[in-house]
Structure formats: C-alpha cells, structure tokens
C-alpha cells in the first residue's frame, strides 16, 4: 500500500512538472512576437543619413526595452521617458501615470535629440512636422516611394496633426501608438488620415529664421484675415520666413501693419504683427508676384 501511494505521488509530481514547466518558461521569456518586432526595428532601406540612423537606433532601443506608450510621456524638461497622464478621452490611459514611457511626439523628440546631440524637436506632432529644420517635405499623394528611413510621418489635417512616427523603410515605421500598448514596429497606415512626411535637417538651419509671439496665432492660405486658416501657433514658435509683402492692413494687439510673411514650411502667411522684430523684417526679401511656392 505504501509503495502504491508513493508511486501515485511520484506520477502526480511528474505530471505537474510537465504541465507547469512550459508555462513557467514562457512567463520568464519575452514573447516571441516582441523579440521578432525588436529584431525588425532598424533601417529597412538604404539612403538614410547617419543622423537618421542614430534616431532610428534610439527609437528601436526603446522597442527592445519594452517601453510603454504613455499619454504626454517624453515631454519633460529634457528629452527622455517620463510618466504619463490620463487622457480624458481615452479610458485605456488609466494606468499611464504609473508607466514610464513616451507618446508619439515624445518618442520622436527623444530619438532626434539622441541623433543630433541637442533638443531640436521639442513639441507636439504639429510643431515637429512643421519644423523649421525641414530639409524636404512630401505630400500624402506622393506615397512612400520618395521617403528614406528616418523621415517623420504625420497624420491628421493641416490644422490638427495628431500623430507622428519614424519611417524605417519597406513600408514599416516605429511608433508610440496608443495607451495600453508598448512602442512598436507597424505597417505604415496610408488610408487613415495620412497627411505627409518631412525629412529632418539636424545640422545648421538655412534661410531667414524668426520667432513668433502670442498664443493661438493663425497662419492663412493668403495674406488676408478672411483667407482660410492653415495652422495656429499654440505659443511662441521658431519659423522660417521666405519673403514678405505689403497686403491687407491688420490691426491687432495694439499694432497696425500691412506686412505679411510667407512661411514655406506651412505654405501659409502670417501678419508681421506676430513676428518679433520690426514691422518690415530686416534682410527678408519682398515676395515676387505671383505668390511663391514652397
């Protein structure tokens, strides 16, 4: 009887071992899908600049580390992961304040700060897309064919760009997508509000660089207050001015001026009232006729 009891106990232990061991090993090891995703994160096409490759490497290191998406993450005093915030519109963000990570623009900021050695893309998706450091821009209609690894992809409208990611090549991108997920490699989504792409210049900025002032200052499709709105500067913003011209006379903030500046990065105009400096900007040429093209 004792021998039979001992045998039964041994069989139960062996059965428990074989049932438990695979689950324990799986729990202790990273999921195979996560390993594959990290391995696939890198430049997937030739032509990227050394700076773009460094930006991709910085973003991919966060994918390999299993870093979380967190709403508002990455927007601290310096580039790098931060604890997130609760997005009132997204129930999945409930745990974001407990997670150290990045939102979409926080990841882009971190990656290009590592690439450039300075905080060159501090801001949200809109300000990053419209950066005065643009080396080249691409419309949605151009698709992915002209893009190189490291280019920034943006989604939304000219007035509200709500998502940004880093192109890897071969139709793939690295992104901080949404609350409840970790940073990931994804297929580029061309049919869900894709707006266009921008190639970042990490070196010296060329052109006439100025600074705006005020909050909620709209750029316009034409040098007129009645023209269609393009994009509103949420706060003081560094801009690149191509040229200026005399057009509609505007009175705002206690100033009156008829000078307007053309901003090639926005394909839009802004009254010189909201550009720091004299009413007619020093050193900026007068715009030719017809309206300049970006």
């Amino acid at each position: 009887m004792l021998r039979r009891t001992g045998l039964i106990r041994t069989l139960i232990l062996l059965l428990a071992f074989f049932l438990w061991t695979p689950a324990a090993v799986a729990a202790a090891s990273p999921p195979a899908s996560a390993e594959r995703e990290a391995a696939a994160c890198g430049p997937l096409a030739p032509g990227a600049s050394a700076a773009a490759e460094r930006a991709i490497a910085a973003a991919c290191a966060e994918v390999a580390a299993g870093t979380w998406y967190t709403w508002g993450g990455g927007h601290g005093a310096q580039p790098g992961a931060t604890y997130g915030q609760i997005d009132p519109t997204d129930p999945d963000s409930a745990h974001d304040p407990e997670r150290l990570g990045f939102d979409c623009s926080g990841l882009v900021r971190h990656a290009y700060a590592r690439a450039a050695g300075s905080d060159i893309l501090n801001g949200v998706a809109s300000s990053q897309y419209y950066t005065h450091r643009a080396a080249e821009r691409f419309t949605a209609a151009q698709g992915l064919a002209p893009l190189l690894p490291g280019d920034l992809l943006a989604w939304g409208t000219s007035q509200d760009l709500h998502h940004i990611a880093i192109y890897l090549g071969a139709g793939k991108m690295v992104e901080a997508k949404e609350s409840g997920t970790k940073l990931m490699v994804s297929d580029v989504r061309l049919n869900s509000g894709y707006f266009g792409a921008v190639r970042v210049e990490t070196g010296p900025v060329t052109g006439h660089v100025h600074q705006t002032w005020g909050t909620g200052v709209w750029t316009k499709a034409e040098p007129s207050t009645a023209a269609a709105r393009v994009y509103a500067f949420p706060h003081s913003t560094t801009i690149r001015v191509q040229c200026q011209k005399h057009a509609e006379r505007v009175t705002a903030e206690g100033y009156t001026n008829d000078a307007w500046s053309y901003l090639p990065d926005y394909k839009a105009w802004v009254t010189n009232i909201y550009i720091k400096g004299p009413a007619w900007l020093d050193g900026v040429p007068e715009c030719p006729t017809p309206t300049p093209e970006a």
Side-chain angles (χ1 to χ4, degrees), residues 228-249:
R229 292 174 167 182
V230 176
Y231 175 74
F233 300 124
H235 45 64
S236 180
T237 303
T238 302
I239 56 172
R240 183 164 45 184
V241 176
Q242 179 174 315
C243 59
Q244 58 188 334
K245 68 182 294 185
H246 295 287
E248 180 184 343
R249 191 177 181 87

Side-chain angles (χ1 to χ4, degrees), residues 16-27:
F17 173 80
F18 284 115
L19 289 175
W20 171 84
T21 299
V25 170

Side-chain angles (χ1 to χ4, degrees), residues 46-80:
S49 67
E53 289 188 347
R54 290 194 297 271
I56 290 172
C60 290
E62 299 296 335
V63 173
T67 303
W68 285 96
Y69 174 101
T70 58
W71 193 66
H75 294 285
Q78 298 296 327

Side-chain angles (χ1 to χ4, degrees), residues 68-70 90 92 96 163 176-182 184:
W68 285 96
Y69 174 101
T70 58
D90 184 5
D92 289 339
D96 285 5
H163 188 60
K177 186 178 181 181
E178 59 191 354
S179 293
T181 67
K182 294 185 177 181
M184 65 182 73

